[in-house]
Amino acid sequence: MAYPPAAQPSPPRQPSVKVILAAADVSRVVDRIAHQILEKTQGAADTVLLGIPTRGVPLARRLAARISTFEDVTVPVGVLDITLYRDDLRRHATRAVGPTDLPPGGIDGKRVVLVDDVLFSGRTVRAALDALSDVGRPASVQLAVLVDRGHRQLPIRADYVGKNIPTALAENVKVTLAETDGTDEVKLYGGSPA
């Protein structure tokens, strides 16, 4: 008696990948945020941009360049390393401490705009606020992000948002920038296949 062949297991489903912002979209979003900063800060007067590594740093530099192009004003740019202020250091592998590089003139009495790529739980921003308090006393602090994906765990809200992306907790948003990754793109991983 011949038996039918055993059913072959189906291959595992590949997580879906959806491009949310292509290179041209990222450029337009940066331009829009730059315009919003100019409007909300009266021409970027007494404003300093501090990028949060890794991708917040090139975004801060791009914003400063676009603000300069639009209004012929130079906005100082710096880097704010938050490694030692993260609340997950005990749960994850040790991260290398990077430099905090404040622009000449510092941040005391200035309006500081923290710049990051993705706003998710709010914990990175909380760490940045803690780090900021150790390096100076700004007059005010604002937040600019390329993507806000929701799911906040802390009461933190961005002042400037490039794109709001409703996500599920199991999904991941991946930002790539030409300066760090070779291309500008925002992708959403892990949603249901289209």
Side-chain angles (χ1 to χ4, degrees):
M1 174 172 210
Y3 293 100
Q8 296 294 323
S10 59
R13 289 182 83 176
Q14 296 295 321
S16 72
V17 179
K18 181 178 180 184
V19 175
I20 303 296
L21 296 173
D25 301 319
V26 171
S27 181
R28 275 191 296 275
V29 165
V30 169
D31 284 355
R32 183 166 31 83
I33 294 172
H35 279 294
Q36 290 172 349
I37 290 171
L38 282 166
E39 290 170 11
K40 201 169 182 179
T41 63
Q42 296 76 42
D46 291 320
T47 299
V48 173
L49 301 176
L50 290 182
I52 300 172
T54 298
R55 289 168 189 82
V57 176
L59 284 171
R61 291 182 180 133
R62 286 188 194 189
L63 286 168
R66 298 311 293 156
I67 287 170
S68 179
T69 299
F70 298 144
E71 291 290 326
D72 195 28
V73 62
T74 300
V75 177
V77 179
V79 178
L80 183 65
D81 182 65
I82 64 162
T83 303
L84 296 177
Y85 299 88
R86 296 183 60 90
D87 63 4
D88 61 356
L89 281 178
R90 283 177 265 138
R91 295 189 310 149
H92 296 293
T94 305
R95 298 169 46 129
V97 176
T100 288
D101 182 23
L102 298 181
I107 61 167
D108 290 338
K110 307 282 172 95
R111 176 188 298 109
V112 170
V113 179
L114 297 171
V115 182
D116 203 6
D117 56 347
V118 178
L119 177 57
F120 181 28
S121 66
R123 293 183 179 276
T124 296
V125 178
R126 189 225 28 97
L129 292 169
D130 288 347
L132 195 60
S133 69
D134 278 354
V135 297
R137 191 176 194 313
S140 65
V141 180
Q142 296 178 344
L143 176 62
V145 296
L146 188 65
V147 172
D148 183 346
R149 63 165 292 184
H151 303 287
R152 218 75 74 239
Q153 295 172 351
L154 299 171
I156 290 175
R157 176 185 58 81
D159 300 277
Y160 312 100
V161 177
K163 177 98 173 152
N164 284 295
I165 302 174
T167 63
L169 276 172
E171 294 174 317
N172 290 310
V173 173
K174 176 68 176 166
V175 173
T176 57
L177 297 176
E179 296 90 337
T180 56
D181 310 292
T183 186
D184 287 346
E185 198 169 54
V186 177
K187 290 182 178 178
L188 179 65
Y189 289 87
S192 56

